[in-house]
Amino acid sequence: MSQASHPVYQRLQSLGISLPPVSVPAAAYVPFVQTGNLVFLSGHIAKKPDGTPWVGKLGLDTDTATGQAAARSIAIELMGTLQAAVGGDLGRVKRIVKVMSLVNSTPEFTEQHLVTNGCSELLGEVFGPAVGAHARSAFGVAQIPRGSCVEIELIAEVDAAA
């Protein structure tokens, strides 16, 4: 099946989403590691459309809806990295296994799970329920690199390389 005819790419196109290239790591790590049929994506921080960090602390200067939008933007970055990890073919993704979300938030903020829905819902919409539904953790943390409001990592199961 050609990339353009695969349902994942059709859904991305219908949503008006273009996947970005893999970001250059900001520290001593790699963007992804594959072991067997599992691909582990390093944490991606929320970035605004101009590429700058989406800075904020939930419960202080950032609301839940803004956090969800930031998490959705991370999902797009994650899919771009995942596409690179699978040799340019998201059709090889068998399952989004797990998402872990870190939400830069005050001790009183308790909607980390709702913020993370911004990522989870887009992954489900793009990959469909059989592939996109995943296990998940969402944590509130005191700070995230570069002051970003959200950081998310992902684990996916993929078909063996063609």
Side-chain angles (χ1 to χ4, degrees), residues 43-46 74 100-103 144-145 148-153:
H44 287 52
I45 63 169
I74 295 172
M100 187 179 79
S101 174
L102 306 173
V103 180
I144 291 175
S148 180
C149 58
V150 183
E151 178 175 354
I152 301 175
E153 64 180 50

Side-chain angles (χ1 to χ4, degrees), residues 29-69:
Y29 64 92
V30 294
F32 58 85
V33 171
Q34 181 169 349
T35 182
N37 286 358
L38 294 178
V39 176
F40 294 77
L41 303 188
S42 293
H44 287 52
I45 63 169
K47 294 181 200 162
K48 293 185 177 184
D50 67 3
T52 61
W54 198 325
V55 175
K57 185 173 280 290
L58 279 290
L60 179 65
D61 57 12
T62 305
D63 64 15
T64 300
T66 302
Q68 287 173 333

Side-chain angles (χ1 to χ4, degrees), residues 3 5-13 79 90-91 126-128:
Q3 190 181 80
S5 65
H6 194 279
V8 168
Y9 290 100
Q10 291 173 348
R11 290 183 199 118
L12 286 168
Q13 183 176 8
M79 286 186 282
L90 287 175
V126 169
F127 287 99

Side-chain angles (χ1 to χ4, degrees), residues 87-124:
D89 182 8
L90 287 175
R92 288 186 49 217
V93 176
K94 291 176 65 173
R95 185 73 191 247
I96 303 298
V97 176
K98 174 123 191 220
V99 165
M100 187 179 79
S101 174
L102 306 173
V103 180
N104 183 353
S105 53
T106 64
E108 299 78 25
F109 185 79
T110 60
E111 295 186 342
Q112 291 83 359
H113 62 298
L114 299 177
V115 167
T116 306
N117 280 349
C119 176
S120 294
E121 290 171 357
L122 183 58
L123 291 172

